[in-house]
Amino acid sequence: MKVFNDPLEFRDHNLKVRESGRQIGLFATLGAVHRGHLSLVDRARAENDYVVSSVFVNPLMFNGGTEEADAYPYDPTGDLEKLEGKGVDAVLVPSREAVYPPGYVTRVTVPDLEGRYEAARMPNMLSGISTICTKLFQLCVPHRWYFGEKDAQQLALVKQVSKDLNWPTEIVPCPSIREEDGLPFSSRNKLMSPEERALAGCVVDAIRAAKALYDTGERGADALAAAAARAVEVTAAKLDYAALVDRNSFQDLTEATDDALLVVAADLGRLRVLDNHRLSRPLPPEVAARAN
């Protein structure tokens, strides 16, 4: 696996790969690589000739900037070992100064998605993501770019940016990979105490509750969201939001269409946890099997 620290060297390398006629698949990460991330690498490996990745804790997306980014839990050496073990061909591991040199001021924003749901809690998040993704696109120009459905608002954002800026890249959504208790894999999971981990399951229960009501024929967004909210509110967790949104635009819905996505987030006190599910689909086995 080739490791690049210089973004421009990474760009030149990828240009040569494209010129050779090989198809490039990209998966970008903040680090703290886990099984959910590696499932995206597997998908990219199966569908492309060449797989590239990046490990970069992006300070633009954090409310606290570089200080909060410094606290992000990741292991650069371990992350690279995991990516190499999965067959990644090249990875960019740049310094912050290489990505955002002194005097850098440009931001890419999508106003229709700002200030809502995760972006309400982290005001810098979406512009930080759209900015780094635009830079990564310029450095790689992948044929396919893989994103997990767990981060649903991020996925909607990147699809919009790709469409608006005419990227010649297929944005490939990939299903959430879940742990045995139904919770989607996340870097924050490893930070949870046993008590927090048990409490975090409330978002999985929220999905089960809304899905059960949906399966009886209920299509009203308010009723479905209320069922999800109750599953969180009966626990010690604090409900952040439970809502039905269009999975592509992330706009609120009044009733559950085929594209309706239930999004749920809860505050555990020290940590937050979030989950989502497209109600028209069957429950993932780990969610369906979860005990009450």
Side-chain angles (χ1 to χ4, degrees), residues 259-282:
D259 279 336
L261 188 73
L262 175 74
V263 292
V264 184
D267 194 327
L268 309 183
R270 191 173 61 95
L271 299 167
R272 292 177 70 247
V273 62
L274 57 152
D275 205 349
N276 66 78
H277 182 66
R278 195 170 163 189
L279 293 178
S280 59
R281 293 179 173 178

Side-chain angles (χ1 to χ4, degrees), residues 35 178-183 185 197 285-287 289-291:
R35 205 178 97 196
R178 295 177 179 270
E179 302 197 48
E180 291 183 2
D181 60 0
L183 204 64
F185 274 93
R197 182 56 185 261
E286 300 88 348
V287 175
R290 179 177 167 82

Side-chain angles (χ1 to χ4, degrees), residues 2-11 55-56 80 91-99 139:
K2 297 181 182 295
V3 179
F4 295 87
N5 302 120
D6 185 331
L8 297 185
E9 290 181 2
F10 183 67
R11 181 197 62 190
V55 178
F56 179 64
L80 291 178
V91 60
L92 175 66
V93 189
S95 67
R96 289 174 190 159
E97 292 73 20
V99 177
L139 296 172

Side-chain angles (χ1 to χ4, degrees), residues 14-174:
N14 291 323
L15 285 173
K16 291 177 182 177
V17 172
R18 287 185 64 91
E19 289 169 358
S20 72
R22 286 174 286 180
Q23 299 267 306
I24 299 177
L26 170 64
F27 162 65
T29 172
L30 290 173
V33 174
H34 52 66
R35 205 178 97 196
H37 295 139
L38 297 178
S39 71
L40 303 188
V41 177
D42 287 339
R43 177 82 177 267
R45 182 80 275 163
E47 297 179 352
N48 301 276
D49 305 307
Y50 201 84
V51 176
V52 300
S53 187
S54 63
V55 178
F56 179 64
V57 182
N58 179 22
L60 289 193
M61 64 183 287
F62 294 100
N63 293 347
T66 56
E67 183 176 342
E68 190 172 349
D70 287 340
Y72 189 81
Y74 83 112
D75 171 15
T77 301
D79 289 341
L80 291 178
E81 289 175 351
K82 291 174 184 176
L83 294 174
E84 185 171 22
K86 277 292 185 178
V88 170
D89 295 295
V91 60
L92 175 66
V93 189
S95 67
R96 289 174 190 159
E97 292 73 20
V99 177
Y100 303 119
Y104 184 92
V105 296
T106 300
R107 298 289 189 277
V108 178
T109 63
V110 182
D112 285 355
L113 289 173
E114 299 287 346
R116 306 168 63 249
Y117 300 113
E118 286 306 291
R121 186 68 176 256
M122 296 177 64
N124 299 331
M125 183 187 76
L126 294 188
S127 65
I129 291 171
S130 55
T131 298
I132 191 61
C133 284
T134 300
K135 289 176 75 72
L136 285 172
F137 168 77
Q138 297 287 346
L139 296 172
C140 183
V141 193
H143 294 83
R144 299 173 189 86
W145 195 340
Y146 297 82
F147 290 86
E149 292 179 341
K150 181 186 77 69
D151 296 309
Q153 196 168 6
Q154 170 183 284
L155 175 58
L157 171 77
V158 174
K159 288 166 69 176
Q160 188 67 50
V161 173
S162 176
K163 176 183 175 182
D164 290 349
L165 299 185
N166 302 313
W167 290 356
T169 295
E170 179 185 357
I171 304 301
V172 184
C174 299

Side-chain angles (χ1 to χ4, degrees), residues 208-239:
R208 293 175 70 242
K211 175 62 173 171
L213 185 59
Y214 177 91
D215 287 345
T216 68
E218 177 62 63
R219 294 296 183 269
D222 289 345
L224 292 165
R230 285 193 294 272
V232 176
E233 291 167 343
V234 297
T235 73
K238 180 181 178 182
L239 179 70

